[in-house]
């Protein structure tokens, strides 16, 4: 797919009656791979299926370490997931520096959603689906 004047946000319809951002999101889901997480009272496990579309394609990391106690798995476009993992890492580092303690998962989620909400409200920034 290519970019045009109708793919700036999810509210702009093309003359053909299409929402290009929705189509991009569907394509990202189709390119994604499976990620499964399991949690017990003492441990948690994240497993990601790494696949490539051809033998020449590079394999990308699907699991990211955010802090000593938090990790994140990406299913979809790795570049979007990498940016979100960077936001999570920044929030975790900020919490440990300012408050001298590990950030709670709810704090990391709140910091990430605040940052993504600001990006999503600007029409020229990429929106993550």
């Amino acid at each position: 797919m290519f970019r045009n004047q109708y793919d700036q946000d999810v509210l702009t319809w093309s003359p053909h009656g299409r929402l290009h951002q929705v189509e991009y999101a569907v394509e990202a889901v189709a390119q994604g791979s499976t990620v499964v997480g399991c949690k017990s009272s003492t441990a948690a496990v994240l497993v990601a299926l790494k696949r490539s579309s051809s033998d020449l394609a590079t394999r990308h990391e699907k699991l990211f370490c955010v802090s000593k106690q938090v990790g994140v798995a990406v299913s979809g476009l790795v570049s979007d997931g990498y940016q979100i993992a960077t936001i999570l890492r920044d929030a975790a580092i900020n919490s440990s520096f300012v408050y001298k303690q590990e950030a709670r998962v709810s704090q990391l989620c709140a910091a990430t959603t605040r940052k993504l909400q600001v990006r999503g409200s600007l029409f020229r920034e990429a929106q993550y689906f």
Side-chain angles (χ1 to χ4, degrees), residues 10-35:
V10 291
L11 301 176
T12 305
W13 291 81
S14 73
H16 301 304
R18 297 167 48 191
L19 290 171
H20 290 282
Q21 286 290 332
V22 173
E23 291 178 7
Y24 294 155
V26 169
E27 183 65 27
V29 170
Q31 291 180 8
S33 60
T34 305
V35 176

Side-chain angles (χ1 to χ4, degrees), residues 15 18 32-33 37-38 40 43 52 60 64 67 76 90 100 111-112 119-120 125:
R18 297 167 48 191
S33 60
C38 298
S40 72
S52 60
H60 298 287
F64 299 100
S67 68
D90 291 345
K100 308 287 191 241
T112 305
R119 286 186 179 179
E125 291 286 334

Side-chain angles (χ1 to χ4, degrees), residues 18 22 27 41-42 54 62 91 93 105 112 120 122 125:
R18 297 167 48 191
V22 173
E27 183 65 27
S41 60
T42 59
S54 71
K62 296 283 190 175
I93 291 169
V105 174
T112 305
L122 302 173
E125 291 286 334

Side-chain angles (χ1 to χ4, degrees), residues 73-90:
V74 175
S75 177
L77 296 178
V78 177
S79 59
D80 289 346
Y82 181 77
Q83 289 184 357
I84 292 172
T86 302
I87 294 170
L88 286 166
R89 278 191 204 114
D90 291 345

Side-chain angles (χ1 to χ4, degrees), residues 64-71 88-89 92-93 96 101-103 108:
F64 299 100
C65 178
V66 174
S67 68
K68 292 179 184 178
Q69 298 177 349
V70 178
L88 286 166
R89 278 191 204 114
I93 291 169
S96 65
Q101 64 182 6
E102 289 283 328
L108 296 175

